[in-house]
Amino acid sequence: MAKRPRKASDKKKADTEKVVLTDRDKKTLRDLLGLADRIVNDAQKKRDPYLEIPTRALSNVRYNKTRRRIEMGSNKNRRELFNLSQAKSYMQTVLVASGCKQLIEQGKTLSLRGLYYKLKRDVEGTKEPTFVDQGECDPVIEDVEVGLNSLREELHLYASNRGNLAGPLVLFDHATGDEIDCARMGSAGYSIPSIVENDVIEFKKCTAKFILHVEKDTVWRRFAEDKFWQKHNCILTHGNGQPPRGVRRILSRLHHEYKLPVYCLLDNDPWGYYIYSVIKQGSINLAFESQRMAIPDAKFLGLRSKDYERCELSPSVKISLSDTDIKRAKQIASYPWFEHKKAWQKEIQQMLKNGFKMEVESLISKDITYVTEQYTPARLEEGDWLD
Amino acid sequence: MPRQPSKNGQHARGRTASDAAGDTGATTASNGHASKRRRATAQSMAASQRDISVSEFFAKNRHLLGFDNPRKALLTTIKEAVDNSLDACEEAGIVPEIWVHVEQTGANRFKVGIQDNGPGILKKQIPLIFGKLLYGSKFHRLRMSRGQQGIGISAAGMYGVLTTGKPVKIASKTSARKPAHYYEIKIDTKKNLPEILNGRGEGVDIPPGEAGWKYIEKHGIEWVEVQHGTRVTIELEGKFVRGRGSVDEYLEQTAIANPHVTIHYLDPESGSDPANEKLYERSTDQLPKEPKEIKPHPYGIELGMLMTMLADARGMTLSQFLTSSFSRVSSGVASRVCQTAGLKPRASTQKIGRGEADKLFHALQETKISSPSTDCISPIGEELLLKGLHQVVPGEFYVAATRPPAVYRGNPFQIEVALAYGGTTGANRVPLEVLRDLLAECDARTLRQFLTTTFYGLGTDAADQIIKAAGFGSRTSPSKLKPAEIKRLHEAMTSVNLEAGQTMNVLRYANRVPLQFQHAACAITQSVMSTNWRSYGLTQSRGQLPSGPVTIMVHMASVWVPFTSESKEAVAGYPEIQKELRLALQSAGRKLGMYLRRRMKVKQEGERRNIFLRYLGEVASAVSDINKTDRKKLYDQLMLVAKKKTATADMRLDERGQVIEAELEEDPSVLIVNEPAEVGIRNPETKNGQATS
């Protein structure tokens, strides 16, 4: 498991007993203590202990029209120990809290999977595991984040790296003390870490004019190989499907700190639409992070429903829509942030009318370099995108 | 259709002359060409046509009386004697005490002695009662009693004499100061008359006091010293078994239905040593309410009977006859009957002819007459039913239901039901030595048959489970098991959870007498099977007995119990009886359902409780990791909260349940045996206290 001292100051490392806590660590510890004290307090007063956790569902998110991003509402869920359906997740929440507390005190960080393994054991006196799989653990971690109103990195947790970046960007990694030139990272590019806050990843220099975000690795490589970012002086990123928080955060920082416009080249399917939606106004699940992550000015470059005809693609690229696709498309069309955008309504209707979806790779069927040398430059030139 | 004489040969004797003549005629007609062989003529046949004595008939058809096999013969003999004793005691107002002594005298021979503390029998009556079939006091009256026809005990004696040649020995004493009478008799089956063997055909009188004792000892007469009472000793060919349909079971069931009886029982293995006596002690000194004798109800008679009664009633007017011979016929009713029949109420009974009798009969059936008075029936009563059942059947919930008396064919009857739920079957508790004996005695061909026939409430499913757990083949013979194998079987029997595979155990009673055979033919079993027990929380396959640890006891009390045969093993299914049975079963079932639903609720609550209690330890550890609070203290505090929480849950349940609880517990017909709560708060602190659920 990767272990990194978190701060340059921590780098003096040596004996773990002398961990120097940052102010943020102290605040997080206070929050964690508060959580534990409340339980003790409740127990002393013979009340049912409960945790209040903001609801993470469509019902508790609000689209802020002026800020153009999703914001979390004030609805909270009670998680009670003495409630049949919540007892286990209550225990899990407390376990995660104690795990994080230990991490902070020892000045270590763990991946989500690492924490899962740290906490996984049999509930004492039974053969029931505390967590059945990581899928059970991850949402609880998110609950603790929201419940304590602290960020994942503040809990000393990180997700596995997913997503790469290439382009004229120089940054400084405080964790290792390396200066990284993202223009010289070879064919694989710079792997975007999970935590990219300024105190970890500091931007030194950026000469790019815009950012092109593509959906996945295969398309990213196509662009990288054709030296697209050199030719157009841009930063090229991908998030391997739904971009993780590290990718979204780095996009947001570049967008806000260097005023770089963000263009997205995603599949023409409900999944691609939702990736765009998450980049642009934040996700429903992590609405509390929108403020740091949302890029309300991000543009949707393609693939468009009309591209099958516009680019004269061969019929072999069609992938017929499944029932869930249709359901999901209608759901997305009814999201408040898409509801009043005529162009988007038209786009989604067009896809439904087509009855098929397309991946970005379908452009390759026309020509290997079609997407990098004709399609994308033409769209950027024309300013033909969806907002 | 002429019957073939060859087929009927052996029965020909039983037919009347006209029958036989008709047959012969038909045969000759059909065999057009006369055969050379000399055929029987009406004259030659007449020579062999004669009276058949009842004793002869029953000697040949002993299965009708319950002597079909040695096993049943032994049981029936004891049963008849005990039933007679109980009837006699109750009629005389004596709280009964019975001694039953079974002693093996040969390979297949048993000596059975039954003594009571009854009123005793007058000297001249003794030979007739024990040595003449169809002699008794109970046949001609309408009164609830165990015996009905006056066949039983004399038939048992006859069977004994037939199979062993040994006489029936009777000793009876009517008071402490009077001499006891001692008879040894045989039945002359041809004449249906007793033949007295001792005292030169006169019987012997044993003087009271010392002299008497000496005589008793000298002649080896068996007698337990009582002031008055009767002892009958019969030696017969029989077979002693245990388990289902055994003497033990009969006595046990008798004790359930007769809580006022004390039974001293010495079985063949006791070695006649009083120390090995098995005692069923009475739980009440109260004799059952004495049933009254009633006159027949007009709805219950038949035309032939009416004509006989008319002929007997000399010198009476019709109106007088009707009011005096029937119950519930007032002079008003009588005049209405006469009016309907078109007869004069003042007409003499002697002038009533066949046609008029027929009219009178129909008028009686048509006229609305109130039901017979029902005080002639003495039910066991809910309280004593519960007491009796609780004493013998282990369980956690008991309920009894007594229906109001009803009438079938003019005979009043009453149905009572008692039900016990819970407890384990005998198979779970049987000691190894007893199992060894049971196996040695049994005549079942397969192990499965042995298990299902020996143990009550053990269905084929449960038997298969046991056999599988013990690792035997399905066709293993029970008699050939080696000691080690018996041990294996015993282990399997005690370890396998039989509750699910258990079937309802139905105890049937008629006038307090247990019915042990012919379950399937009995209206009681049929009613139990046709009741929908699923709605009362038991599992039941269509048309089967429900399964579960349930014992149900059904008692039919009546002045005349309609048995399907003379051996009194099954009750006939008259619609009125079936209806009452159904209602009684449903009434008990409803209360069982209430109890089971409540129990289920408590159990579910307990399971729910355990689920969140399970995580308390983890929560306490995690919290103390965070803020260094004392883990133990926090755990205890959380535990307290949990208990408080569950206490309120209990309370709520109680309140909600209290409505039911109060209803059930205040109900005098319900008995709930509180066992230690099976679903309490299990303390996860003690690591092994937590089972995975």
Side-chain angles (χ1 to χ4, degrees):
Chain A
M1 215 38 52
K3 286 176 192 160
R4 295 181 298 169
R6 272 204 65 251
K7 287 221 63 168
S9 53
D10 292 352
K11 255 178 73 185
K12 292 165 197 162
K13 49 184 168 192
D15 47 331
T16 41
E17 283 173 26
K18 278 197 174 174
V19 176
V20 179
L21 298 176
T22 63
D23 289 346
R24 278 170 70 191
D25 284 342
K26 284 177 187 155
K27 182 205 162 261
T28 315
L29 277 179
R30 269 201 308 279
D31 288 345
L32 284 168
L33 264 173
L35 180 141
D37 288 344
R38 269 200 304 282
I39 297 172
V40 175
N41 210 359
D42 283 339
Q44 270 167 359
K45 293 189 175 149
K46 300 207 169 120
R47 287 191 303 229
D48 302 358
Y50 65 89
L51 301 169
E52 279 201 322
I53 289 159
T55 314
R56 293 183 293 117
L58 184 60
S59 63
N60 192 33
V61 296
R62 203 162 43 85
Y63 178 59
N64 187 322
K65 274 184 187 158
T66 47
R67 294 202 179 109
R68 292 185 298 160
R69 65 182 185 221
I70 297 174
E71 286 176 352
M72 189 147 66
S74 54
N75 290 357
K76 280 181 178 174
N77 275 356
R78 260 179 177 231
R79 183 164 294 173
E80 296 173 341
L81 173 56
F82 297 118
N83 179 317
L84 245 207
S85 54
Q86 296 171 355
K88 186 164 189 189
S89 56
Y90 184 97
M91 173 207 66
Q92 291 172 334
T93 316
V94 182
L95 278 184
V96 167
S98 89
C100 293
K101 191 249 180 186
Q102 236 175 306
L103 287 178
I104 297 170
E105 279 185 343
Q106 296 179 7
K108 306 281 182 198
T109 51
L110 272 183
S111 66
L112 297 185
R113 191 159 185 80
L115 185 69
Y116 158 63
Y117 271 109
K118 177 175 159 42
L119 300 176
K120 185 178 166 75
R121 59 169 175 269
D122 283 348
V123 174
E124 48 177 73
T126 70
K127 290 209 166 66
E128 185 186 355
T130 49
F131 295 95
V132 175
D133 53 24
Q134 200 188 338
E136 218 176 72
C137 184
D138 289 356
V140 175
I141 295 173
E142 282 169 5
D143 287 342
V144 174
E145 287 178 54
V146 204
L148 295 180
N149 197 16
S150 47
L151 299 171
R152 189 181 285 172
E153 49 268 31
E154 290 170 345
L155 297 171
H156 286 217
L157 295 173
Y158 61 91
S160 54
N161 292 357
R162 217 169 67 189
N164 298 64
L165 178 147
L169 170 70
V170 179
L171 40 82
F172 185 79
D173 188 331
H174 285 281
T176 56
D178 297 327
E179 194 173 271
I180 297 158
D181 183 352
C182 297
R184 305 168 66 131
M185 294 301 294
S187 59
Y190 173 62
S191 175
I192 305 170
S194 162
I195 297 167
V196 292
E197 291 308 314
N198 197 36
D199 52 357
V200 183
I201 306 288
E202 192 185 329
F203 295 154
K204 288 287 185 194
K205 193 177 144 204
C206 177
T207 57
K209 291 282 173 282
F210 65 94
I211 302 167
L212 180 69
H213 179 81
V214 299
E215 184 162 337
K216 47 198 173 269
D217 185 52
T218 49
V219 183
W220 188 89
R221 293 226 183 171
R222 197 79 284 291
F223 279 92
E225 194 180 85
D226 290 354
K227 303 201 184 302
F228 182 87
W229 61 266
Q230 288 102 324
K231 285 179 195 162
H232 293 87
N233 190 21
C234 71
I235 291 171
L236 185 65
T237 60
H238 80 86
N240 223 341
Q242 187 63 263
R245 277 189 262 179
V247 173
R248 285 169 58 200
R249 180 64 183 144
I250 210 166
L251 287 177
S252 164
R253 280 189 63 200
L254 288 168
H255 173 76
H256 288 108
E257 290 171 30
Y258 293 101
K259 304 281 174 264
L260 300 181
V262 176
Y263 302 101
C264 302
L265 184 62
L266 306 164
D267 289 348
N268 177 241
D269 59 15
W271 184 245
Y273 295 160
Y274 191 64
I275 292 175
Y276 169 70
S277 164
V278 167
I279 292 173
K280 192 176 168 75
Q281 46 263 315
S283 77
I284 296 168
N285 200 22
L286 298 174
F288 62 100
E289 296 256 55
S290 305
Q291 192 190 344
R292 298 196 304 140
M293 309 250 184
I295 309 165
D297 286 320
K299 311 288 190 235
F300 184 81
L301 208 61
L303 229 48
R304 302 281 298 275
S305 304
K306 61 185 180 188
D307 283 344
Y308 177 70
E309 279 161 19
R310 180 165 63 180
C311 307
E312 293 163 340
L313 299 174
S314 78
S316 63
V317 302
K318 294 180 182 175
I319 304 169
S320 50
L321 290 174
S322 67
D323 288 349
T324 39
D325 285 337
I326 294 167
K327 212 174 122 194
R328 184 85 182 109
K330 287 179 177 162
Q331 205 177 6
I332 289 172
S334 69
Y335 282 158
W337 46 97
F338 282 122
E339 210 180 351
H340 302 295
K341 289 184 176 161
K342 280 192 185 139
W344 267 107
Q345 292 298 329
K346 214 174 131 193
E347 171 69 25
I348 296 170
Q349 285 312 317
Q350 175 77 39
M351 182 189 72
L352 290 172
K353 215 174 109 196
N354 286 349
F356 60 83
K357 54 187 181 183
M358 292 176 293
E359 295 187 316
V360 178
E361 287 90 331
S362 61
L363 295 173
I364 292 167
S365 71
K366 204 161 164 69
D367 187 84
I368 297 172
T369 58
Y370 180 74
V371 64
T372 57
E373 287 174 3
Q374 293 181 45
Y375 183 87
T376 312
R379 295 292 92 78
L380 290 167
E381 187 77 12
E382 293 160 15
D384 178 14
W385 53 66
L386 284 173
D387 184 20
Chain B
M1 186 69 192
R3 283 174 290 172
Q4 291 298 312
S6 57
K7 270 190 196 164
N8 278 326
Q10 56 187 15
H11 295 304
R13 221 167 39 155
R15 283 186 272 135
T16 60
S18 66
D19 245 355
D23 255 8
T24 331
T27 318
T28 6
S30 62
N31 298 356
H33 53 288
S35 68
K36 286 275 164 63
R37 201 154 66 85
R38 265 182 55 187
R39 310 301 309 244
T41 61
Q43 282 75 20
S44 68
M45 285 174 135
S48 60
Q49 284 159 0
R50 59 190 164 88
D51 253 353
I52 309 152
S53 124
V54 213
S55 352
E56 263 182 320
F57 174 76
F58 282 120
K60 284 210 165 187
N61 294 297
R62 56 196 195 196
H63 58 275
L64 293 179
L65 300 177
F67 294 91
D68 10 359
N69 58 48
R71 185 167 75 114
K72 229 165 126 184
L74 181 68
L75 173 65
T76 308
T77 304
I78 292 174
K79 192 171 158 169
E80 293 294 348
V82 170
D83 289 353
N84 284 350
S85 293
L86 292 177
D87 272 346
C89 289
E90 280 168 24
E91 215 174 321
I94 300 164
V95 182
E97 187 159 2
I98 311 270
W99 288 262
V100 177
H101 184 186
V102 184
E103 188 184 337
Q104 189 149 15
T105 54
N108 290 316
R109 281 193 183 188
F110 290 88
K111 192 163 84 181
V112 176
I114 293 102
Q115 185 177 337
D116 59 41
N117 61 343
I121 305 168
L122 288 185
K123 184 171 178 179
K124 64 173 172 114
Q125 292 294 340
I126 294 175
L128 290 170
I129 286 175
F130 291 95
K132 186 171 163 64
L133 257 61
L134 292 175
Y135 184 91
S137 55
K138 299 164 189 170
F139 188 76
H140 294 282
R141 62 179 189 193
L142 277 175
R143 183 179 191 274
M144 180 183 155
S145 61
R146 294 177 177 79
Q148 285 181 344
Q149 288 101 338
I151 297 179
I153 192 62
S154 30
M158 187 174 75
Y159 174 83
V161 176
L162 277 176
T163 51
T164 65
K166 295 270 177 75
V168 181
K169 297 169 187 164
I170 303 111
S172 186
K173 195 170 156 85
T174 51
S175 106
R177 270 156 299 166
K178 286 193 179 153
H181 312 297
Y182 178 65
Y183 279 96
E184 291 183 4
I185 54 172
K186 276 184 176 178
I187 293 182
D188 182 340
T189 44
K190 289 224 171 99
K191 295 189 199 132
N192 184 24
L193 278 175
E195 189 185 322
I196 300 157
L197 302 179
N198 63 341
R200 298 196 197 99
E202 294 292 326
V204 181
D205 279 358
I206 306 171
E210 273 301 308
W213 271 115
K214 277 189 186 140
Y215 186 89
I216 286 173
E217 265 172 49
K218 191 178 160 198
H219 289 81
I221 301 167
E222 289 175 21
W223 180 255
V224 178
E225 186 53 25
V226 286
Q227 294 207 334
H228 44 76
T230 306
R231 184 180 189 104
V232 55
T233 308
I234 299 170
E235 194 163 344
L236 73 157
E237 198 177 293
K239 189 166 186 226
F240 185 84
V241 291
R242 293 191 189 273
R244 261 174 144 167
S246 66
V247 177
D248 304 22
E249 183 196 81
Y250 163 73
L251 293 176
E252 185 175 299
Q253 291 188 11
T254 303
I256 296 177
N258 300 277
H260 58 288
V261 178
T262 294
I263 302 171
H264 305 264
Y265 173 42
L266 283 169
D267 65 17
E269 275 145 45
S270 65
S272 305
D273 180 358
N276 295 335
E277 176 186 275
K278 187 158 188 207
L279 182 68
Y280 295 96
E281 202 147 9
R282 64 174 69 93
S283 54
T284 174
D285 280 332
Q286 208 73 38
L287 275 176
K289 195 187 78 191
E290 194 183 350
K292 283 187 190 139
E293 193 174 333
I294 58 160
K295 285 176 229 156
H297 190 272
Y299 288 173
I301 60 157
E302 271 142 17
L303 178 58
M305 195 174 152
L306 179 66
M307 285 165 72
T308 325
M309 286 166 79
L310 279 167
D312 286 348
R314 291 178 179 277
M316 271 197 236
T317 65
L318 199 50
S319 174
Q320 275 171 337
F321 163 75
L322 288 173
T323 48
S324 64
S325 337
F326 293 107
S327 66
R328 297 295 192 193
V329 179
S330 61
S331 54
V333 174
S335 68
R336 251 184 290 141
V337 170
C338 294
Q339 205 183 341
T340 321
L343 299 167
K344 282 186 187 138
R346 301 182 62 80
S348 166
T349 45
Q350 273 158 305
K351 289 191 179 150
I352 304 288
R354 210 201 73 85
E356 282 139 340
D358 196 19
K359 273 185 206 158
L360 184 66
F361 175 72
H362 282 108
L364 277 170
Q365 306 305 313
E366 280 159 31
T367 314
K368 196 165 184 288
I369 303 167
S370 55
S371 297
S373 69
T374 45
D375 53 2
C376 52
I377 302 170
S378 142
I380 303 173
E382 290 176 349
E383 193 196 331
L384 287 181
L385 277 172
L386 289 177
K387 241 186 203 170
L389 199 59
H390 178 42
Q391 215 160 42
V392 184
V393 182
E396 50 189 273
F397 175 79
Y398 299 84
V399 62
T402 300
R403 292 287 307 159
V407 175
Y408 81 93
R409 277 190 47 204
N411 295 315
F413 73 98
Q414 193 164 11
I415 300 290
E416 293 176 287
V417 166
L419 182 149
Y421 180 88
T424 47
T425 123
N428 272 138
R429 286 173 288 131
V430 65
L432 184 58
E433 306 81 63
V434 175
L435 178 67
R436 211 172 275 145
D437 296 348
L438 285 170
L439 280 165
E441 282 161 7
C442 90
D443 49 7
R445 272 176 297 128
T446 64
L447 210 47
R448 186 173 159 194
Q449 196 185 3
F450 162 75
L451 288 169
T452 50
T453 52
T454 312
F455 298 102
Y456 258 117
L458 197 120
T460 47
D461 286 355
D464 286 342
Q465 268 183 45
I466 293 175
I467 294 169
K468 207 176 151 200
F472 292 118
S474 55
R475 312 222 32 96
T476 312
S477 166
S479 49
K480 286 176 192 153
L481 291 183
K482 296 185 186 80
E485 289 175 323
I486 294 178
K487 210 166 169 210
R488 225 162 71 214
L489 178 69
H490 180 252
E491 271 164 21
M493 282 171 69
T494 44
S495 62
V496 170
N497 175 21
L498 298 170
E499 194 157 312
Q502 234 171 314
T503 50
M504 182 189 264
N505 181 6
V506 183
L507 309 178
R508 298 170 293 138
Y509 292 88
N511 284 353
R512 294 167 185 260
V513 178
L515 310 178
Q516 290 170 285
F517 298 96
Q518 297 193 14
H519 318 254
C522 184
I524 293 175
T525 321
Q526 283 159 5
S527 295
V528 173
M529 285 202 233
S530 63
T531 304
N532 180 8
W533 292 95
R534 266 163 305 202
S535 52
Y536 307 132
L538 297 177
T539 48
Q540 180 187 27
S541 317
R542 190 173 290 275
Q544 297 280 311
L545 286 175
S547 42
V550 194
T551 302
I552 195 163
M553 157 182 180
V554 184
H555 177 219
M556 171 167 178
S558 177
V559 290
W560 189 262
V561 178
F563 287 113
T564 54
S565 77
E566 292 320 305
S567 57
K568 302 200 268 189
E569 285 161 351
V571 175
Y574 284 96
E576 295 89 347
I577 297 176
Q578 283 169 336
K579 183 186 159 204
E580 287 298 313
L581 280 169
R582 197 182 66 235
L583 291 173
L585 289 169
Q586 284 171 346
S587 152
R590 263 193 303 278
K591 284 171 188 166
L592 173 69
M594 270 156 77
Y595 175 75
L596 287 182
R597 269 192 299 279
R598 195 179 77 186
R599 209 178 71 139
M600 180 70 79
K601 231 181 259 165
V602 170
K603 200 174 158 194
Q604 278 171 350
E605 270 302 297
E607 276 166 10
R608 285 166 49 126
R609 237 174 267 162
N610 279 340
I611 284 177
F612 54 71
L613 285 178
R614 184 184 304 173
Y615 304 123
L616 280 192
E618 289 288 341
V619 170
S621 306
V623 171
S624 87
D625 278 351
I626 297 176
N627 63 1
K628 301 280 174 281
T629 188
D630 180 18
R631 183 189 178 279
K632 181 86 184 74
K633 198 173 142 201
L634 176 64
Y635 180 85
D636 291 344
Q637 280 169 344
L638 283 175
M639 203 64 187
L640 275 178
V641 183
K643 273 180 184 154
K644 187 185 123 196
K645 184 99 176 155
T646 51
T648 57
D650 277 341
M651 224 142 66
R652 215 179 306 134
L653 185 91
D654 265 11
E655 263 165 35
R656 210 190 314 122
Q658 220 162 38
V659 188
I660 306 167
E661 179 111 15
E663 260 178 31
L664 275 181
E665 246 123 59
E666 278 168 25
D667 193 334
S669 68
V670 169
L671 177 69
I672 295 175
V673 182
N674 282 322
E675 284 176 330
E678 47 180 348
V679 281
I681 295 174
R682 282 202 235 127
N683 194 341
E685 281 289 76
T686 55
K687 296 250 155 122
N688 49 5
Q690 188 96 13
T692 48
S693 52

